Amino acid sequence: MTNRHGPDLPWGTSQRRDGVGHGDVTWWRGAVCYQVYLRSFADGNGDGVGDLAGLRRRLPYLSELGVDAVWVNPWYPSPMADGGYDVTDYRAIDPMFGSLAEARALMEEIHALGLRILIDLVPNHASSQHPWFSEALAGGPGCVGRDRFIFRPGLGPDGDLPPNNWRSVFGGSAWTRVVEPDGMPGEWYLHLFAPEQPDLNWDNAEVRREFESILRFWFDHGVDGIRIDVAHAMIKAPGLPDLGPADIELIGSAAHPGHPHWDREGVHEVFRDWRVVADSYAEPRVFVAEACARNPERLSRYARPGELHTAFNFDYLTTPWRAAHLRTAIDRSLTTMGAVGAPATWVLSNHDVVRHLTRYGRPQSDGPVHDLADHLLAGPFDLDLGTRRARAAALLTLALPGCTYLYQGEELGLWEVEDLPDEALQDPIWRRSGQTNRGRDGCRVPMPWSGDTPPFGFSPDHAGSAPWLPQPQEWKRLTVQVQQGDEQSMLELYRRALHIRRIHPALGIGSLDWDPAAGSGVLSFIRPPGFQCMVNFRPDALRLPDHDGVLLSSVPLVNECLPGDAAVWLTR
């Protein structure tokens, strides 16, 4: 008995694509989207920070890689207290990245290459330097401006205690007390993240109207889709009740039903309104949610008909390199998303988690982990093992039904930079944790493009500034220049896999049948018509099943056998 997920699609169906040309309103169902962390992708003006000019210069690289869309992390004006996720103006471009005119040119160039563009939207919180927040501070208690945020009187005789026990994801209390216009200590405001990121009040009608206007602004400028930051946090429980003991232990996730600020039912009303906006365009725009939910069933609610199109699959991302664990994550994702008519998304790395090459290069746990501190406790890092598993994971991920998100540099085999100097760290987690958690900077180190020494082509020759985060000297053997044309390199593995995925009718959208003959420690599935993926998690080599040919393997095959920690694509 095989287990099947998804509808059969005949060879040559119109839903397959040769690129994602405009007019294909279902392009997002099977697309491969490349995440650009703008500060670290390519520096066009030599100031050590990535920008739009650098991204525009590298667009041919992305087109040749074979992706379908580009997702750009926040590019808005920001004090950069949290890497741009503290926004002061949602309708402009930060000068360090360029201008709105350059953003328009970027969109035109992306579309000319047959690609799509998605951008980040940060609706849960703004910057403490946003004009609205300045107005709220100046107006004092009870002013109209304060109702756009979440201000409350403090507890205790003098109001010097926070309004409740909510905790910031970045450490410490989720409340900060303000100094009122008369110079006296006053109300407290909520920030589920850094104090520089005050939460917006989504019970306020003006906030809702403003963000629908922001959506239209960027859609009108040519943005094809939007990734919604912290989509699960926007609605808070009436009365702002205290967290229970279990919720305090699990600050970053919706651990229990009824959590007062994670994954509340009211967010779905917001997203139904947003979907109306997206569907009002001749070519409907699309949404992908960054939503943390307590299980895949809850996550799938964000992608129900009439709401968002897709939601990031963090269960898959945080699953250890174990066959049974990954099969469970794949099955649950396909089943729950399929039940609401949405595609699953597959993600191995992003700008918030330890790079998967490093995760896989350490002893594997039995549960989900992505925090650097947890991984450091797991044991020593084996670069060769991590690289081998990362190559196999790429083939596994790109063979699954649905859409895939790649994080810049994974196609080069970049690892987490764990030894950044303390003085270089900029993630607010480092400061808010009392310098006990090194945060996310290690996965944000700038890309190596060429040359033998830093900045490895990230900045122009003779640039005036060093990259904003230092690059390891060892990355000289991972540059694009070194890897391109090398048949054994990670880059060429990705290029070949993406090329095959684009032209093979079994890949992208479609169905999956698990191979009943696969033994323990093996993932093997068939995708009609004529495709099989096999991943060997065991230490010993595995004889290939009957097949018509080998499309691609993550390592060289030996006597028709697949070595351990390796993957292969077959025709049958």
Side-chain angles (χ1 to χ4, degrees):
M1 178 73 67
T2 60
N3 297 322
R4 168 156 291 178
H5 297 282
D8 288 328
L9 291 173
W11 191 288
T13 174
S14 62
Q15 294 188 65
R16 288 300 305 146
R17 69 216 184 280
D18 182 13
V20 285
H22 289 271
D24 177 7
V25 297
T26 64
W27 64 271
W28 47 274
R29 287 188 164 272
V32 176
C33 186
Y34 187 98
Q35 179 188 357
V36 168
Y37 192 74
L38 193 54
R39 297 177 81 189
S40 298
F41 188 66
D43 168 20
N45 63 8
D47 66 356
V49 177
D51 49 33
L52 293 177
L55 173 54
R56 292 173 66 189
R57 184 162 56 93
R58 297 296 186 180
L59 286 179
Y61 168 80
L62 297 179
S63 179
E64 292 164 9
L65 184 61
V67 299
D68 300 312
V70 180
W71 156 34
V72 183
N73 283 112
W75 54 13
Y76 312 105
S78 168
M80 296 293 162
D82 181 25
Y85 285 90
D86 47 317
V87 179
T88 60
D89 185 348
Y90 288 89
R91 295 180 179 84
I93 303 295
D94 195 293
M96 80 161 61
F97 297 136
S99 65
L100 187 57
E102 284 182 281
R104 291 194 196 101
L106 170 72
M107 288 183 257
E108 291 174 0
E109 290 162 3
I110 284 176
H111 291 152
L113 290 169
L115 306 178
R116 299 300 213 291
I117 179 170
L118 292 84
I119 63 171
D120 250 312
L121 186 64
V122 189
N124 179 69
H125 44 262
S127 168
S128 57
Q129 296 184 32
H130 190 285
W132 272 9
F133 197 71
S134 299
E135 181 182 336
L137 293 180
C143 74
V144 172
R146 288 209 177 178
D147 192 55
R148 298 172 182 144
F149 299 90
I150 301 175
F151 279 83
R152 294 291 186 275
L155 301 180
D158 299 317
D160 56 356
L161 298 176
N164 64 26
N165 68 351
W166 293 7
R167 308 295 294 171
S168 164
V169 173
F170 292 160
S173 174
W175 295 92
T176 291
R177 197 175 193 186
V178 304
V179 175
E180 300 295 359
D182 62 4
M184 298 298 292
E187 292 187 319
W188 299 69
Y189 69 89
L190 178 69
H191 52 86
L192 291 180
F193 293 86
E196 297 88 349
Q197 296 168 291
D199 278 44
L200 289 156
N201 175 18
W202 277 87
D203 292 327
N204 180 291
E206 186 182 5
V207 170
R208 296 197 181 205
R209 289 194 300 270
E210 170 69 359
F211 274 85
E212 288 188 15
S213 174
I214 292 166
L215 292 176
R216 293 187 185 279
F217 176 86
W218 289 109
F219 290 158
D220 289 348
H221 275 79
V223 166
D224 300 291
I226 283 179
R227 178 261 193 187
I228 305 167
D229 182 63
V230 199
H232 58 293
M234 294 154 60
I235 300 297
K236 280 71 175 179
L240 309 182
D242 277 352
L243 293 168
D247 294 320
I248 292 176
E249 293 297 318
L250 296 168
I251 293 298
S253 63
H256 299 288
H259 192 287
H261 60 71
W262 285 156
D263 189 30
R264 295 193 59 80
E265 190 63 28
V267 299
H268 299 285
E269 178 186 341
V270 174
F271 297 144
R272 285 190 289 270
D273 291 341
W274 286 17
R275 182 62 178 260
V276 172
V277 175
D279 287 349
S280 69
Y281 288 79
E283 182 176 334
R285 306 316 197 231
V286 302
F287 294 112
V288 56
E290 183 206 30
C292 294
R294 59 183 174 270
N295 55 48
E297 290 76 18
R298 291 291 300 183
L299 181 66
S300 70
R301 293 166 60 83
Y302 290 82
R304 290 177 296 187
E307 295 193 29
L308 307 178
H309 299 76
T310 58
F312 283 133
N313 186 345
F314 294 121
D315 276 1
Y316 183 75
L317 182 152
T318 60
T319 297
W321 184 251
R322 297 180 184 274
H325 292 61
L326 281 164
R327 173 160 174 171
T328 296
I330 292 166
D331 277 337
R332 292 185 71 184
S333 298
L334 292 173
T335 298
T336 54
M337 286 297 173
V340 297
T345 63
W346 310 108
V347 189
L348 290 170
S349 287
N350 65 34
H351 65 294
D352 283 332
V353 301
V354 173
R355 285 187 177 273
H356 65 273
L357 187 148
T358 295
R359 299 199 313 268
Y360 294 155
R362 283 198 161 89
Q364 298 298 287
S365 71
D366 284 322
V369 290
H370 65 264
D371 187 84
L372 177 58
D374 293 336
H375 280 280
L376 291 173
L377 295 174
F381 171 51
D382 184 328
L383 175 59
D384 290 340
L385 179 63
T387 301
R388 185 182 186 90
R389 288 174 171 173
R391 291 174 66 91
L395 295 196
L396 168 62
T397 302
L398 290 169
L400 293 170
C403 50
T404 303
Y405 283 77
L406 309 179
Y407 179 48
Q408 66 178 47
E410 73 172 76
E411 79 279 10
L412 301 180
L414 301 188
W415 58 79
E416 185 85 1
V417 183
E418 301 176 34
D419 58 352
L420 288 169
D422 290 357
E423 61 272 16
L425 298 178
Q426 300 189 28
D427 191 336
I429 293 175
W430 171 242
R431 183 184 72 255
R432 295 278 291 176
S433 68
Q435 299 187 348
T436 60
N437 186 327
R438 296 182 66 79
R440 302 161 293 176
D441 289 320
C443 65
R444 301 174 176 183
V445 175
M447 286 269 287
W449 293 94
S450 60
D452 293 329
T453 58
F456 297 123
F458 168 72
S459 298
D461 292 342
H462 312 299
S465 301
W468 71 282
L469 286 174
Q471 302 154 302
Q473 177 61 38
E474 295 84 356
W475 278 7
K476 68 180 182 180
R477 56 187 176 83
L478 298 181
T479 65
V480 173
Q481 182 182 53
V482 166
Q483 293 196 48
Q484 60 187 2
D486 177 359
E487 292 293 319
Q488 303 306 313
S489 71
M490 185 78 82
L491 175 59
E492 293 301 335
L493 177 74
Y494 269 79
R495 284 179 172 172
R496 293 197 302 274
L498 289 168
H499 173 73
I500 294 169
R501 179 185 166 101
R502 177 165 291 202
I503 65 174
H504 200 294
L507 298 179
I509 54 177
S511 65
L512 176 155
D513 296 316
W514 292 109
D515 179 3
S520 63
V522 178
L523 288 184
S524 180
F525 55 86
I526 297 162
R527 300 199 56 194
F531 177 91
Q532 183 168 1
C533 176
M534 177 175 287
V535 188
N536 182 12
F537 294 77
R538 292 161 22 180
D540 54 306
L542 182 72
R543 181 157 293 281
L544 297 181
D546 291 339
H547 60 279
D548 295 331
V550 175
L551 288 169
L552 186 60
S553 61
S554 63
V555 299
L557 305 176
V558 180
N559 298 324
E560 286 292 295
C561 289
L562 180 65
D565 287 317
V568 65
W569 288 359
L570 305 171
T571 58
R572 46 176 292 131

